[in-house]
Amino acid sequence: DLCRNYAKARVIGLPITVRFITPGGPLWMIFSPVVIPIVAHLPFTKSFITKYKRGWESRERYRPHEEFGELFIICTPSGNIIKVSNFEVADDILKRKDEFGRDLEAFAVLNIYGKNLATTEGKEWMRHRKVAAVTFTEKNAEMVWHESLKEASQMLEYWVARAKKPIRTLAQDTQIFSLNVLAAALFGRSYPFEGKEESEAKNKSIGLDTKDGAFGYRDSIATILHMIVPIMVFGEKKLRDSWWLPKGWQKAGHAVANFRDYITYLINEERSAIARGATSSANLVTNLVRACEEEDSGSLRTEKSVGSSAILTKDEIISDLFVFAFAGNDTTALSLAYILAELAAHPAIQDWISEEIHHYTDTDDVEKWDYATCAKLKRCWAVMYETLRLSHPISQLVKNTGAQARTIRHQGNAYVIPSHTPVEINLPSLSTMPSCWSTDSLEWNPKRFITPASSFEDEVLPSDTTSEFYPWAYSRLVCPGKRFSQAELVGALAALFRDHRVEPALEPGENMDEACHRVKKLSEDIEQRLLSEICEPHKIALKWSRTTDDGVRMEC
Ligand code: HEM
């Protein structure tokens, strides 16, 4: 197969690099986290790891394109993949939506509950998209802002209370933070932040039935996200019924059923509220159900009803809500982990954003910070932009030529890309190319996004979408959760850094500069699991402290 694919790649005429293992194959997705650490202990394997450890695009950033060119082909046993790191070509591909459609195979993993917004195309996708557009409202973003402030304050309290013992649970804690914000936005239910160890211990001591309500939801969705590949490979029923599979895998099968039951219950509740003419608090479930009901004046579409109606079936609603939970949880949790690790390595930037947060907030009571504050915190936005520029959780915008060959033009040449070929727009390369981002493009420096001025009000921040920077994609494909994630991340930064600072815990014999350098390296060493994430977050040990009014750190 590799030889056949190589022959096909040669016909295209772009530079080729060969991989003997398909990077996105399900088996490599499952086994590479086990194989790579073993191989890493063997001599002469650096080049193997550079190429085969998943997420090489995020780790290597623009460098592979410097070696092979702005467009090149990765030839693998299961097919060829075109990598793109040129703004004009990327824009052309994104604009030719009907020619370069979704790579449905790459997204099939999200079909646990059936097809949804992320796994459909054409008219079917437009039906989902239309409903999603009215589901994510500015009101919802406002609620996310308030919830994020509350959750981040509680997370901070938890971290500060444990300040004597460095925090090594950055990745788990940002997951819990993000799950709780999602629970509020999806279901309108607010839960206190509890660190992983505390919540497990408490559940055990009070014998909490984790199938109940929010904790059931929270545990179910966390389990599903963690086990999504085995769920895709074996399916819900097999996982549940196969006694010979590991316990964790069986649990994943039950989690899929729990989430479905919980959402079905909420949909039914909302439908009866609508039937009674009752209003309910606006959240993603109620918005979505109401959007469908309005389209259909009173009844959900059934599996049998066909036609070009914009409404969704109950199963499609469940599947869309799952995708919102999937797309909305890890993306923001991973981004927040990147942000906090980078900030820990850059104390001066913490002071820089803190000044701004103080300027716009006159009390430390986060409940009093209105939603309008979010847009004013330009330096916090710059921190978010800069982190996504260097470490993006999605990393590749994956398209596919579909049923026909398509032509791509680059530097006066035309390249015919065969049918059914994935074409990947390489965000980590586009957002670090020195030709666009200058020679310090691999440095994390949020100030690059701010044009300084004599007052905070006059500082200028570029829009979240330009022709050279689009972390939330753009036009028809723009992320529907863009405002949601912005309110969540900026809210977290505001609550955490107004009066507190974070620093790396020192390893024996290390000074603070060395520790910052080590944490910076760790935070930018990325591995792709389902999304791109910090490879070894447990190695990042952090300490939080409160500052006095004049910015001096106090021991907690
Ligand atoms: C830092 C956080 C986030 C980033 C950087 C981000 C980025 C993106 C990008 C680049 C896409 C387009 C992917 C593609 O075309 O291949 C996308 C799609 C999507 N995002 Fe986000 N996202 C974030 C957070 C969220 C949140 C919080 C939600 C929901 C609560 C969400 C829901 C979605 C959904 C449902 C899609 C698929 C849309 C469609 O297929 O039409 N995202 N996101």
Side-chain angles (χ1 to χ4, degrees):
D1 283 349
L2 191 62
C3 291
R4 212 179 41 224
N5 293 335
Y6 189 77
K8 279 191 199 163
R10 287 198 54 179
V11 176
I12 300 174
L14 286 168
I16 305 171
T17 175
V18 174
R19 296 279 193 279
F20 295 96
I21 303 170
T22 306
L27 283 179
W28 190 236
M29 277 168 88
I30 291 182
F31 292 111
S32 70
V34 182
V35 173
I36 291 287
I38 296 172
V39 173
H41 284 101
L42 305 175
F44 314 116
T45 52
K46 194 163 175 261
S47 138
F48 176 87
I49 290 173
T50 304
K51 287 184 186 152
Y52 290 98
K53 182 169 159 186
R54 286 169 38 78
W56 57 271
E57 299 94 331
S58 301
R59 284 191 306 279
E60 296 298 309
R61 301 182 172 85
Y62 70 86
R63 288 177 289 239
H65 288 276
E66 200 177 45
E67 186 180 350
F68 296 110
E70 290 184 328
L71 270 61
F72 68 86
I73 304 170
I74 299 186
C75 175
T76 79
S78 56
N80 294 321
I81 304 163
I82 315 291
K83 288 281 177 188
V84 175
S85 179
N86 172 284
F87 290 114
E88 287 77 37
V89 177
D91 186 52
D92 181 42
I93 289 168
L94 292 175
K95 283 199 174 123
R96 291 156 67 190
K97 293 177 274 288
D98 298 332
E99 294 178 57
F100 293 92
R102 268 241 145 97
D103 192 336
L104 293 179
E105 225 173 89
F107 286 93
V109 71
L110 297 179
N111 275 331
I112 294 178
Y113 295 100
K115 287 191 185 171
N116 53 56
L117 177 63
T119 63
T120 47
E121 271 203 296
K123 279 202 175 125
E124 211 182 350
W125 172 77
M126 274 157 71
R127 204 159 46 79
H128 287 272
R129 186 75 195 196
K130 195 173 163 190
V131 178
V134 284
T135 302
F136 286 90
T137 57
E138 206 50 25
K139 263 244 125 345
N140 200 256
E142 181 170 354
M143 177 225 261
V144 168
W145 163 255
H146 289 295
E147 195 62 23
S148 176
L149 290 173
K150 192 203 86 184
E151 286 290 334
S153 304
Q154 292 178 358
M155 181 164 69
L156 182 64
E157 233 173 76
Y158 164 78
W159 282 337
V160 167
R162 293 187 31 175
K164 294 258 175 318
K165 214 168 122 195
I167 308 294
R168 291 185 186 272
T169 48
L170 177 65
Q172 287 105 316
D173 294 342
T174 54
Q175 272 282 348
I176 293 171
F177 161 84
S178 167
L179 274 171
N180 284 359
V181 173
L182 251 175
L186 275 172
F187 313 131
R189 314 231 164 133
S190 184
Y191 303 107
F193 177 87
E194 277 174 337
K196 191 172 164 57
E197 288 163 22
E198 276 72 2
S199 87
E200 274 173 6
K202 188 171 140 199
N203 286 358
K204 249 192 206 142
S205 74
I206 60 174
L208 187 75
D209 177 0
T210 53
K211 279 186 193 153
D212 261 4
F215 289 98
Y217 145 73
R218 209 182 73 168
D219 289 353
S220 297
I221 193 80
T223 307
I224 298 169
L225 298 181
H226 185 62
M227 299 293 291
I228 199 159
V229 177
I231 293 171
M232 178 188 83
V233 174
F234 289 96
E236 170 192 346
K237 200 169 165 341
K238 199 169 218 145
L239 283 179
R240 264 188 319 183
D241 300 345
S242 302
W243 54 267
W244 45 271
L245 282 173
K247 275 257 168 315
W249 292 35
Q250 291 175 33
K251 191 177 158 209
H254 290 291
V256 175
N258 285 351
F259 183 78
R260 183 189 297 105
D261 293 348
Y262 188 44
I263 298 280
T264 306
Y265 161 75
L266 292 173
I267 292 174
N268 290 340
E269 259 199 341
E270 186 54 22
R271 293 189 66 197
S272 40
I274 295 170
R276 290 194 313 273
T279 52
S280 43
S281 62
N283 56 57
L284 295 184
V285 172
T286 56
N287 286 359
L288 191 51
V289 173
R290 280 179 190 258
C292 292
E293 296 276 311
E294 267 163 34
E295 283 290 337
D296 197 37
S297 59
S299 66
L300 285 174
R301 184 170 168 264
T302 64
E303 302 298 347
K304 285 183 196 133
S305 66
V306 275
S308 61
S309 167
I311 50 162
L312 306 176
T313 65
K314 193 187 261 182
D315 286 347
E316 286 170 328
I317 293 182
I318 294 172
S319 196
D320 274 349
L321 287 165
F322 164 70
V323 154
F324 296 165
F326 171 82
N329 183 60
D330 273 1
T331 44
T332 47
L334 299 173
S335 302
L336 187 57
Y338 286 133
I339 290 174
L340 296 182
E342 290 283 12
L343 279 167
H346 296 86
I349 299 292
Q350 298 182 44
D351 296 339
W352 183 67
I353 60 171
S354 183
E355 266 172 34
E356 181 191 57
I357 302 164
H358 269 275
H359 178 76
Y360 287 112
T361 57
D362 49 13
T363 160
D364 62 2
D365 180 358
V366 295
E367 282 186 22
K368 302 218 164 76
W369 300 357
D370 62 13
Y371 180 47
T373 313
C374 178
K376 294 178 190 160
L377 297 174
K378 292 173 221 159
R379 293 180 178 183
C380 294
W381 283 70
V383 164
M384 173 173 65
Y385 286 1
E386 178 66 347
T387 309
L388 291 173
R389 184 185 72 78
L390 216 50
S391 307
H392 195 287
I394 293 179
S395 165
Q396 308 296 299
L397 298 182
V398 183
K399 307 295 157 201
N400 197 293
T401 49
Q404 280 177 40
R406 315 282 178 192
T407 303
I408 293 180
R409 287 174 209 287
H410 177 236
Q411 292 176 344
N413 297 315
Y415 300 97
V416 180
I417 315 294
S419 59
H420 302 295
T421 305
V423 178
E424 300 188 348
I425 296 170
N426 191 347
L427 294 181
S429 174
L430 283 173
S431 56
T432 55
M433 290 189 308
S435 55
C436 175
W437 296 95
S438 121
T439 46
D440 71 347
S441 68
L442 295 181
E443 283 304 307
W444 185 84
N445 174 20
K447 290 186 179 176
R448 76 174 77 238
F449 281 105
I450 294 281
T451 312
S454 54
S455 72
F456 287 104
E457 285 74 11
D458 291 337
E459 289 186 347
V460 181
L461 173 85
S463 136
D464 59 28
T465 310
T466 67
S467 56
E468 286 161 354
F469 185 60
Y470 38 85
W472 288 272
Y474 60 93
S475 83
R476 248 177 32 152
L477 293 169
V478 66
C479 167
K482 181 165 88 166
R483 280 273 170 271
F484 183 129
S485 56
Q486 293 170 342
E488 182 172 350
L489 292 173
V490 173
L493 281 176
L496 294 175
F497 290 96
R498 185 181 189 273
D499 299 312
H500 289 80
R501 300 290 185 273
V502 63
E503 62 184 20
L506 300 184
E507 297 277 315
E510 199 178 45
N511 65 32
M512 189 49 80
D513 279 351
E514 288 161 347
C516 288
H517 184 71
R518 177 174 52 79
V519 165
K520 181 180 159 48
K521 280 232 154 318
L522 282 168
S523 78
E524 291 169 17
D525 180 15
I526 294 174
E527 178 165 14
Q528 186 174 357
R529 288 164 197 150
L530 217 51
L531 298 182
S532 300
E533 50 194 273
I534 299 177
C535 183
E536 299 178 303
H538 55 278
K539 288 194 176 166
I540 301 179
L542 301 177
K543 285 176 74 177
W544 287 83
S545 56
R546 194 179 164 83
T547 54
T548 57
D549 286 345
D550 44 8
V552 178
R553 285 155 205 247
M554 297 190 301
E555 275 296 312
C556 291

